[in-house]
Each structure stands twice: as structure tokens, then as C-alpha cells.
């Protein structure tokens, strides 16, 4: 399970990295996918694959939506 794995560092989990992605979206309110990936990677080294998994998870738990190629914080 990648959300809260017991055999890897917490920094490698979707839960931890999703929180970092969400923090950037909260700060910006609305941000393009490319700029979001760039902003997250200013502070963390995050692969594109993990970034997409984070977006999937945040979408599934209704924290973000994607509109016109932009990530938007759900209200």
C-alpha cells in the first residue's frame, strides 16, 4: 500500500507527497498542471509518476478538481 506503507520512509508515500501537492494548490487556488509540478519540485524531488498518483488520490478524496488543464481546490 503506497498511501501509508510500513516498509518505506514516510517521505516516499502518496499521503505525505499528496499533502505537499495540496499545500501548493491551497496557496495558489488555481494552477496549471505544469506549474504545479514545477512548484512542488522546487522543494521536493518528486517523480512525475508519484505526482500523478498524488493528483489521483486528492481527486478521489474530493480535495481538488481539474478544469481546463488547471488544478483547482474544491470548496
Amino acid at each position: 500500500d503506497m498511501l501509508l506503507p510500513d516498509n518505506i520512509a514516510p517521505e516516499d508515500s502518496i499521503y505525505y507527497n499528496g499533502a505537499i501537492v495540496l499545500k501548493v494548490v491551497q496557496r495558489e487556488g488555481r494552477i496549471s498542471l505544469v506549474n504545479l509540478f514545477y512548484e512542488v519540485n522546487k522543494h521536493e524531488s518528486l517523480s512525475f509518476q508519484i505526482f500523478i498518483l498524488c493528483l489521483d488520490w486528492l481527486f478521489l478524496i474530493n480535495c481538488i478538481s481539474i478544469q481546463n488543464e488547471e488544478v483547482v481546490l474544491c470548496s
Side-chain angles (χ1 to χ4, degrees):
D1 187 57
M2 292 244 346
L3 283 178
L4 292 171
D6 58 359
N7 60 346
I8 64 172
E11 297 82 21
D12 295 331
S13 70
I14 300 302
Y15 187 80
Y16 176 86
N17 288 303
I20 293 168
V21 172
L22 184 58
K23 186 176 179 180
V24 173
V25 175
Q26 286 176 323
R27 184 181 72 223
E28 300 295 324
R30 175 181 291 271
I31 187 169
S32 73
L33 288 168
V34 173
N35 287 339
L36 177 58
F37 184 68
Y38 174 76
E39 288 295 320
V40 168
N41 275 292
K42 277 184 171 178
H43 308 288
E44 298 288 325
S45 178
L46 194 64
S47 72
F48 191 71
Q49 180 182 9
I50 297 298
F51 174 72
I52 294 299
L53 288 172
C54 290
L55 291 178
D56 288 346
W57 179 63
L58 292 170
F59 178 79
L60 288 172
I61 63 172
N62 204 33
C63 286
I64 63 166
S65 64
I66 298 178
Q67 302 169 357
N68 300 323
E69 298 180 17
E70 289 184 320
V71 179
V72 180
L73 188 64
C74 289
S75 53

